Amino acid sequence: KQLNVPLAAFTATADEETRGEIIRQLFPKPPQVFLRGFDRPNLNLAFEAKVAPRQQLLDFVKARKGHSGIIYCATRAKTEVIATAIRDIGIHALPYHAGLDPEVRRDAEMRFQRDDGLVMVATIAFGMGVDKPDIRYVLHADLPKSVESYWQEVGRAGRDSAPADAMTLFGAEDIRLRRSQIDEGLAPIERKNADHQRLNALLGLAEALDCRRKTLLGYFGETPEDNCGNCDLCAEKPVRFDATEAARKALSAVLRTGEYFGQEHLIDVLLGKLTAKVNARHHDALPTFGTGKEFARAQWQAIFRQMLARDLLRPDPERQGGLRMTENARPLLRGETTLALRLDRLDAKPARQVRELVPEADEPLLASLKSKRRELAEVAKVPAYIIFTDKTLMDMAAKKPRNLDEMRGVSGVGDMKLTKYGALFLAVLNGSVEPIHPARRKLAGSETANIFDQLEQAMFDLRLGEDGFAKPLSCTSAELARVAAAKPATPTALSKIIGEAKANRFADKFLAVLAAD
């Protein structure tokens, strides 16, 4: 019996094929589909080929000391090793994986939510339910499984919409690992083919030659007109070269050695290296032997990596991972197509300059505001972002409010937080803060606040009467706040708020202030 029960399904990063499968599996009839854009423009996207991966990772993290980040690793053991290496350079880091005791994992989760500047080094066991808004970077120490996985995982950074970084390190070993995981799995052939296509899409993103965000959003069916200006390829255009002949030589080496060998042996053949393995198999007699001396080994490694990424070559699990040519490569081998590849650097890139969250001159002020936030968070036993997010502190450092009225104009400062923390952060900004009555503080930043201030000045001018010799008389701050809010238009209406005696003295001036507003 079919029940008339509403059914909804939600997903953050599913491509068109996955969305179709969700609809087929869950809904008896076509549902309404609401699709919002996939872009996260505040995320700076970057991929780097692994040259000295440990140093590349540490340089990246060191440049962002004091910022919260997540580093994703492919194995449990690697999370432990990397976390230790980061702690050795003076940055607080914790490992996280499914093999840890549940209590240890819970403590790590709590500390990551609460502490400023903590780095979580984790497998993908860490992620679901992470709602910390001020994660400033996500770094993949190894290649993710798919574009969907990548976009979901890096999307945990910069949820406060402030600038954040998404860096991925990858190499030929990552590609071989992901291919073999698919091929050696128990899924039916149709699923394996689909998984290979998803991996191809991710590798296309990793080896892209133009705006990376365009490539990414194109995968999800969006076609932005302009380059994003916020990815590594927009910042520095890659150097391309015609790799057609080099790729044909590589394919020839693969075929002439029987598609049984890995990249390093194939490079030995191309470079004409008389290794024991080459001699034992008489590969020095092949026509391909020594034909690739125009490139160094590191350059051939980059060529093979990019050919693997473009699915021209694949590791064969039935031949201990030996590389075999795919159908995609046949047009290239026959001379029907050409191939352009990126000319990789042969050394590790210097760590990319960290984008300033605030101008350099304001960095000490931002550090002081963060210190006050941390102090308040520790006392309240809450995560630091509960006090104020990074974005709010950055806006505070930029605007430098001098009083509560100006503080109310800072992004993320509402009435409750203004009352609770406004004076404390003003003291950091200005060294001291003038005491203010709670009734006036509630009006901070509103139009009524200006009326209150004019009424208070008028009251001060008349506190001893017109001639300055009358009996002192004044209204309370609460009364002035009520007058500012109610805006009475007649002496009778005013007297109902502040009493007849005070109305007799202040009515003319007060009503003039209210009428002018």
Side-chain angles (χ1 to χ4, degrees), residues 14 51 464 502:
V51 178
L464 297 178
K502 295 177 185 178

Side-chain angles (χ1 to χ4, degrees), residues 66-216:
H67 295 174
S68 293
I70 301 174
I71 298 175
Y72 282 113
C73 301
T75 65
R76 297 177 181 182
K78 191 168 182 176
T79 66
E80 304 270 1
V81 172
I82 295 298
T84 300
I86 293 173
R87 288 196 295 269
D88 287 345
I89 62 172
I91 296 174
H92 191 29
L94 293 175
Y96 186 103
H97 56 75
L100 294 172
D101 182 84
E103 189 61 36
V104 174
R105 292 203 306 272
R106 280 193 293 271
D107 180 65
E109 290 168 358
M110 184 174 65
R111 290 170 65 183
F112 184 69
Q113 290 281 7
R114 185 188 64 213
D115 296 353
D116 267 342
L118 177 63
V119 179
M120 189 69 82
V121 188
T123 62
I124 57 171
F126 181 76
M128 294 300 290
V130 176
D131 59 359
K132 184 178 173 72
D134 53 359
I135 297 169
R136 296 270 64 87
Y137 64 86
V138 168
L139 185 151
H140 283 92
D142 302 294
L143 193 70
K145 290 184 176 180
S146 65
V147 175
E148 293 93 335
S149 297
Y150 165 78
W151 201 225
Q152 185 178 65
E153 287 154 16
V154 301
R156 287 160 190 150
R159 290 185 176 177
D160 56 2
S161 76
D165 290 307
M167 167 62 79
T168 301
L169 301 177
F170 72 104
E173 283 302 318
D174 295 290
I175 301 171
R176 280 192 284 270
L177 172 64
R178 294 304 185 196
R179 292 284 189 210
S180 64
Q181 286 175 333
I182 296 170
D183 288 332
E184 294 170 10
L186 300 177
I189 188 65
E190 297 81 9
R191 177 60 185 272
K192 288 184 178 181
N193 289 337
D195 286 343
H196 275 300
Q197 291 306 312
R198 287 194 173 91
L199 180 57
N200 288 345
L202 176 65
L203 295 170
L205 176 63
E207 298 287 8
L209 297 174
D210 296 302
C211 175
R212 210 175 289 283
R213 187 172 260 97
K214 269 190 174 180
T215 303
L216 173 76

Side-chain angles (χ1 to χ4, degrees), residues 77 410 469 492:
V410 172
F469 295 102
T492 302

Side-chain angles (χ1 to χ4, degrees), residues 261-393:
F261 297 92
Q263 165 184 302
E264 293 308 313
H265 179 73
L266 295 169
I267 293 175
D268 285 337
V269 171
L270 289 164
L271 292 177
K273 300 291 185 183
L274 285 170
T275 66
K277 195 172 182 179
V278 168
N279 281 326
R281 290 160 177 79
H282 305 294
H283 287 167
D284 54 325
L286 296 174
T288 316
F289 185 76
T291 60
K293 292 181 179 179
E294 71 272 27
F295 296 112
R297 178 174 293 273
Q299 290 170 317
W300 273 115
Q301 289 169 340
I303 290 168
F304 272 95
R305 188 200 72 239
Q306 292 180 73
M307 291 178 70
L308 282 162
R310 293 170 185 269
D311 205 20
L312 303 174
L313 296 171
R314 268 193 201 178
D316 189 337
E318 295 182 0
R319 300 184 181 187
Q320 290 77 48
L323 297 182
R324 61 178 174 81
M325 187 177 76
T326 68
E327 288 299 316
N328 297 336
R330 295 196 181 279
L332 181 65
L333 193 62
R334 290 194 295 259
E336 297 169 2
T337 60
T338 59
L339 179 66
L341 295 179
R342 184 174 68 242
L343 188 63
D344 276 10
R345 293 174 58 114
L346 300 185
D347 58 342
K349 290 182 181 180
R352 289 184 307 141
Q353 186 174 1
V354 183
R355 290 172 298 163
E356 294 179 341
L357 298 179
V358 294
E360 186 177 354
D362 289 339
E363 286 179 357
L365 177 58
L366 180 61
S368 297
L369 293 170
K370 284 189 171 185
S371 178
K372 171 57 69 175
R373 178 180 68 174
R374 183 166 55 252
E375 173 192 321
L376 295 171
E378 288 173 356
V379 170
K381 292 183 171 56
V382 297
Y385 65 80
I386 295 296
I387 307 298
F388 284 128
T389 65
D390 278 2
K391 186 179 180 181
T392 295
L393 296 188

